[in-house]
Amino acid sequence: MARDGAVYACQSCGSVQTKWAGQCPACGAWNTLVEELQARLPGAMAPSKATKVRGLAFEGLQDETPAPPRIATGVDEFDRVCGGGVVPGSAILLGGDPGVGKSTLLLQVAGQAALRGARCAYISGEEAVEQVRSRAQRMGLAAAPVKLAAETSLRAISDGLKREQFDLVIIDSIQTLWSDAHEAGPGSVTQVRAAAGELVRLAKSRGVAIVLVGHVTKEGTIAGPRVIEHMVDAVLSFEGERGYPFRILRGAKNRFGATDEIGVFEMGDAGLAEVRNPSALFLNTSGERAAGAAVFAGIEGSRPVLVEFQALVAPSAYGTPRRAVVGWDSGRLAMVLAVLEARCGLSLGDRDVYLNVAGGLRITEPAADLAAAAALASSALDQALPQDCVVFGEISLSGEVRSVSRMESRLKEAAKLGFRRALGPAEMDGGGALAVTGATRLGDAVRRIGEAAWD
Ligand code: TYD
Ligand code: MG
């Protein structure tokens, strides 16, 4: 029997149920419903009769709005993903797996911004002040005038932020905060929502930019950052493949900028180093290119990025051939394999296929189809592509090679990095810097790869 005022909140999707169940009726997750009490004050949500109602003022669409002022933190990769710096009065959520480097990134952002004169605070609910301080020293930020605090009480934090004016405040992490107005435990949906709501209001009223750290969790015991995504102005995610030093900052939502930008960092002994030329990082430029490798000329956000696709097509030892892919969509791989088989006569159905995007980058562009197909065909035919060749193009189910956006920037970046050839849609124009091989159909491209001589 539910107690008075008790509800059950799913720690995964945030839906609220009146009855407990083993499985959340909203998202289907198991064992995620946790009893939570509503705000303790009775009738806290009921509208007060004494509240004065303001009239609703309308404005026109064409009225002038000045561009929001921005604080450039000095960490350029971070600023660009935010849309050119952080906007005062806005709230940013930074999500990511534990250990990916969120605290490191934000300490660096706060440190650099403070060195450039912004008033910055870093409030940690996870680490002691000494730990944060020693990390800052290791990162060469000992002289940055960042105000540190270790605190988990929402009341203490909001009092502190009302007493002193800051430009940028980092809260690490939202899941460690607790509000005494709610009985639910720290990290529960109720607490995370209450803390985020209060901090977002504070950001707006005080004109300070607040960055909230949110751990992405697989278990249902701690509420994930999803439950507050709608409250904040921007949602950024920090990603990295295990075993690789590269970290990618992506925008998933941004009220003040584009969401397709990425920031690239490399984790080292002295914190995160910004990678201004990602192509050089994701490419293996040493030595001959082996059969099964193709360099994709891609676009990430506003920047061209060159990255190597590696494929291995091998005889299968088992009845069901294996299909394994890292860094690319497995559905897309299945499609490209089917087109190679049906339209180009490459028989792959009884062979194991492995596809890997080098460097730990995850590619989502359809323009990568032809690069994947070229790597697969090159491995299947045991014929290496020329070392100085880039590949891009979208493939349709009928086997056509379609043109893609921004072909000129892709080719320009390739030329800049010493590539001399391109294999892609028939519509591309190398502009003289590259020898282009245009393919109207995937079959043409595969035939070209099968021919040994390119010169
Ligand atoms: P951290 O920022 O604590 O991750 P998060 O806040 O996302 O949980 O970073 C954790 C990892 O980063 C840790 O495994 C150690 C590594 N690291 C370095 O390699 N070099 C450094 O200079 C720092 C500060 C951390
Ligand atoms: Mg951390």
Side-chain angles (χ1 to χ4, degrees):
M1 182 65 202
R3 276 185 289 150
D4 237 14
V7 291
Y8 299 87
C10 174
Q11 306 294 301
S12 168
C13 71
S15 72
V16 177
Q17 312 293 333
T18 49
K19 281 206 195 83
W20 189 85
Q23 186 181 21
C24 170
C27 70
W30 287 92
N31 293 325
T32 54
L33 289 191
V34 171
E35 177 180 339
E36 289 186 352
L37 290 174
Q38 308 275 45
R40 235 193 247 154
L41 308 169
M45 294 302 288
S48 145
K49 291 210 178 69
T51 313
K52 253 212 226 130
V53 180
R54 259 189 298 137
L56 184 58
F58 287 105
E59 293 189 35
L61 272 178
Q62 62 279 58
D63 295 345
E64 288 280 317
T65 329
R70 290 183 187 268
I71 305 168
T73 63
V75 180
D76 296 342
E77 297 286 305
F78 177 84
D79 288 346
R80 205 188 38 249
V81 175
C82 291
V86 293
V87 176
S90 74
I92 297 171
L93 173 66
L94 177 72
D97 291 328
V100 73
K102 300 179 294 297
S103 306
T104 309
L105 173 67
L106 292 177
L107 186 58
Q108 207 152 326
V109 165
Q112 294 293 350
L115 285 173
R116 295 166 135 239
R119 294 161 293 179
C120 298
Y122 185 101
I123 301 169
S124 178
E126 305 201 327
E127 291 163 299
V129 168
E130 294 73 39
Q131 276 174 296
V132 180
R133 199 181 282 143
S134 80
R135 177 184 294 190
Q137 274 159 9
R138 213 148 33 84
M139 289 161 55
L141 291 170
V146 178
K147 298 212 167 165
L148 296 179
E151 185 56 72
T152 55
S153 157
L154 181 62
R155 189 185 293 265
I157 291 174
S158 82
D159 283 352
L161 296 184
K162 279 175 195 156
R163 242 181 292 122
E164 189 165 348
Q165 182 64 41
F166 288 103
D167 299 311
L168 176 66
V169 174
I170 314 285
I171 308 280
D172 185 7
S173 67
I174 188 74
Q175 281 120 337
T176 53
L177 301 192
W178 60 277
S179 146
D180 48 16
H182 299 270
E183 270 183 16
S188 62
V189 170
T190 313
Q191 288 286 5
V192 167
R193 272 211 195 114
E198 166 121 20
L199 291 169
V200 169
R201 269 195 302 279
L202 205 68
K204 295 233 162 14
S205 65
R206 307 278 302 173
V208 18
I210 289 194
V211 184
L212 307 172
V213 173
H215 291 295
V216 171
T217 56
K218 303 249 158 25
E219 312 83 49
T221 41
I222 300 181
R226 292 217 77 107
V227 299
I228 54 166
E229 279 183 0
H230 64 282
M231 296 183 187
V232 295
D233 299 298
V235 177
L236 311 180
S237 69
F238 205 36
E239 304 163 3
E241 282 295 328
R242 227 162 254 291
Y244 289 104
F246 317 126
R247 301 286 181 267
I248 313 273
L249 183 68
R250 269 179 213 282
K253 156 182 171 177
N254 194 346
R255 288 188 183 141
F256 303 110
T259 53
D260 57 358
E261 280 296 349
I262 65 164
V264 184
F265 298 87
E266 186 171 2
M267 181 67 92
D269 292 335
L272 291 155
E274 295 181 63
V275 177
R276 291 174 208 278
N277 184 1
S279 295
L281 191 81
F282 295 118
L283 270 189
N284 170 20
T285 42
S286 63
E288 282 286 303
R289 222 165 281 292
V295 176
F296 169 51
I299 300 277
E300 288 285 343
S302 61
R303 282 186 302 183
V305 174
L306 266 58
V307 44
E308 187 176 275
F309 273 65
Q310 302 163 343
L312 177 63
V313 177
S316 180
Y318 306 101
T320 319
R322 274 190 62 110
R323 303 276 183 258
V325 52
V326 177
W328 204 46
D329 182 46
S330 57
R332 207 83 197 170
L333 171 66
M335 187 209 87
V336 167
L337 287 174
V339 176
L340 278 171
E341 181 122 24
R343 313 276 177 205
C344 310
L346 271 189
S347 117
L348 302 164
D350 56 350
R351 302 217 255 167
D352 287 345
V353 172
Y354 303 90
L355 186 77
N356 180 25
V357 176
L361 198 63
R362 208 188 144 70
I363 302 291
T364 52
E365 262 193 298
D369 290 354
L370 189 61
L376 291 164
S378 157
S379 175
L381 301 169
D382 195 24
Q383 198 65 256
L385 274 112
Q387 202 182 346
D388 58 358
C389 180
V390 293
V391 186
F392 59 86
E394 186 177 346
I395 296 173
S396 74
L397 284 178
S398 59
E400 276 170 275
V401 177
R402 297 252 177 88
S403 70
V404 297
S405 64
R406 305 189 48 200
M407 294 199 276
E408 207 177 312
S409 348
R410 294 173 202 264
L411 292 170
K412 241 191 219 152
E413 174 80 358
K416 207 170 78 192
L417 287 168
F419 287 82
R420 291 290 159 259
R421 275 174 240 262
L423 175 62
E427 294 84 354
M428 72 179 168
D429 176 8
L434 286 103
V436 295
T437 305
T440 328
R441 305 194 55 81
L442 180 56
D444 305 340
V446 170
R447 218 166 302 122
R448 191 70 194 78
I449 293 166
E451 295 165 9
W454 280 75
D455 283 314

